[in-house]
Amino acid sequence: MIEVRDLTHRYGDSGGNAGAPGNDTGAEAGPFALRDLSIQIPDGEFLVLAGANGSGKSTLVRHFNGLLTPDEGEVLVDDTPVGDDLVAARTRVGMVFQEPRDCFVAATVARDVAFGPENLGLPREEIDRRVERALAAVNMAGRGDERLDRLSGGEQERVAVAGALAMDPAHLVLDEPFTGLDESARESVLAHLLELHRDGTGIVLVTHDLRDVLEHADRLVVLADGEIAVDAPPSADLDAIDDLPVRRPERC
Amino acid sequence: MLTYEPGDSVGHRLDARSKLLLQAAFAAAAFGHTDPVGLAALTGLTTALIALASTTPGVVFVEYRGVLPFLAAAPAIESLRLGAPWIDPAAAVDPALAAYRTLLLLALVAAYVRTTPVRESEAAVARLVPGKAGRLLGLGVGLVFRFLPVLQADLARTREAMAARLGDRRPLRDRVRLVATAGLTRVLSRTDRLAVALRARCLSWDPTPPESTFGRDDVLALALAAALAGWALWPSFAAAVW
């Protein structure tokens, strides 16, 4: 379970936390990215986190595994504050970034997917097993020796997902995973995410485009100006997003 | 990240050429007066100048937090000895003063960058250095100022993605290698895309420059620059005459 309690975060001059207590450097504290926000995400839930650009979506999910430090409030993963055990938080919450190339640290598929398990200090056999399993989960089995820069955008996105999966996370957080993908690549990535969800992995999908994804979600959370504007099952509350700048499914 | 911040301070209103000349004169004075008294005077002047540019010492420290350990390391290393008494504090004085002088110069650079749009820096260099050489230099300055923040952001994202997969648990040498390799790949790819984008927008060696903003404040700035240059040269002049 990911639990966020009264989280406040201000944009800082140096990329975050300039306004944090104990970090009074004289740099200007920026505007609020998140304001007094609380949310609980149970294991196995498929949550769609929507909102306009600058609404605080990406900032919120970066708190789930301690990439940012709260200015106020706290974030817990399995009842442990994230800051108390970063390794546990980053193992339990896998993160896939908006631009897959940002995630890559190696030249070939398998070497990159192995990066996380290597950091956990696992035996080589276990690392190989995890790499194979993660690649199979995104339909990239047998392609471990291919160069990353020769893959298509959709394939790169799937490798980035595999890189996070190799950590064996309970929650997979994807920040705008469909950006720049064509329709077939988008469908392919989404199909693999749904399969992971069926197998028990919790999915937190950050997007401003609700097409195709809403029908599969357990819950829709919409952020506006750093606060939760909507938190409801997708079927119940679609009227509430009429005034919010997100792309709605056409059928609604 | 050290980039231009729009504003209406005195620093913002000054012409880029005045600011460049003032910095050059300040640098000359800092190299001409390396004693504690000279550096104390320059500290006061630096504080005043960065305040006129809406920049605080806190901002300067945040922007240069990566540089500060290296500046501090120089006097520390210089004071070490291979035998008894192992540490010689007197040997650290000169490097410490030199490091402090560098910090003052960096503070002024920060004030310049925060108050000067890239296009104005480009034009100022092209105006100060005549001919094609000046235009080429101006273009180079513009590219560096535009490209560096992009690369910094790329590297920051790479480091963040590594941390998300516990890459920060690796030994420092490993992390440096990984970030450097990923960074180099991004630089090359960014450079290719930037070259295409510049060609697509008709990159010109002789673009229309921004309007000159030379005004009354610039006269004062140039007077200060002249005074600093004179002060910088005074020790040599005095030694030659007397």
Side-chain angles (χ1 to χ4, degrees), chain A residues 5 56 68 76 89 151 184 190 213 225-227 250:
Chain A
R5 293 179 184 162
L68 293 175
L76 299 95
L151 301 180
S184 68
L190 181 59
V213 298
D225 298 325
E227 296 176 349
E250 285 167 11

Side-chain angles (χ1 to χ4, degrees), chain B residues 199-219:
Chain B
R199 283 205 304 273
R201 295 176 70 188
C202 305
L203 174 72
S204 164
W205 296 106
D206 193 16
T208 309
E211 273 185 46
S212 171
T213 56
F214 203 90
R216 200 175 53 185
D217 289 340
D218 289 283
V219 176

